Amino acid sequence: MSTAELHGVVTEGLDPAVFDDTAEFIRTVRRGVPGQLIREAIDALGNTPEARELFVTLLETTSGNLHRYYKRAALGRTASEEVLDTLRLVRYAQAVFDDAGVAADWLAAPIPALAGETPLALCDTFQGRQLVRDALGKIEYGEFS
């Protein structure tokens, strides 16, 4: 079994290529990601209320029921895609800032270029994640900080 690493997230059963290879991403979504990945992702984001709320929203559940997802062998396709795409975004932020802690702080801070929203708050939709990716791309290429 291979291991995918996302600074602070180590998940058995995920091919590391899932974050970079579109075909592997699709195969993994179709199989479903393990529920334990959610707990690890929340921990990697500092186990903050905002991080937990993001996954509550992504999974369309309540905070009281979130722990039930941790025990699932595999999430459904929609939830798997939402979770993996969010983790790809977190991984991108970590690469841009070259530091997991700085990336987590940036993701949790209100950003003027995102209309004062926190990047994590925008991660609950595909379009929101795209806005955050665009902002990270601008930072990466020095268009703004």
Side-chain angles (χ1 to χ4, degrees):
M1 209 174 258
S2 56
T3 301
E5 291 187 33
L6 174 73
H7 301 288
V9 178
V10 179
T11 302
E12 295 296 323
L14 283 185
D15 186 327
V18 72
F19 296 112
D20 301 311
D21 180 344
T22 301
E24 183 57 32
F25 181 90
I26 292 168
R27 281 190 293 273
T28 302
V29 165
R30 287 177 175 161
R31 281 191 309 268
V33 298
Q36 181 61 29
L37 180 61
I38 298 164
R39 180 193 314 241
E40 294 171 4
I42 291 168
D43 288 344
L45 291 169
N47 202 0
T48 63
E50 189 170 20
R52 283 189 301 281
E53 186 58 34
L54 168 61
F55 287 94
V56 164
T57 302
L58 286 175
L59 298 169
E60 296 181 351
T61 189
T62 64
S63 53
N65 285 330
L66 187 60
H67 72 282
R68 292 180 184 181
Y69 281 87
Y70 301 161
K71 298 174 186 177
R72 290 191 181 179
L75 301 178
R77 284 185 183 189
T78 301
S80 291
E81 187 166 30
E82 297 276 339
V83 169
L84 277 179
D85 191 48
T86 299
L87 292 179
R88 278 200 304 194
L89 178 68
V90 171
R91 185 172 182 256
Y92 181 38
Q94 292 172 343
V96 167
F97 293 108
D98 198 30
D99 183 292
V102 172
D105 289 346
W106 185 84
L107 288 165
I111 305 297
L114 299 173
E117 293 276 349
T118 68
L120 278 183
L122 292 172
C123 286
D124 65 340
T125 66
F126 175 80
Q127 203 60 41
R129 289 188 299 274
Q130 191 56 49
L131 285 173
V132 175
R133 276 188 186 89
D134 292 346
L136 285 166
K138 289 178 180 181
I139 292 169
E140 182 177 26
Y141 293 104
E143 293 182 34
F144 67 81
S145 58

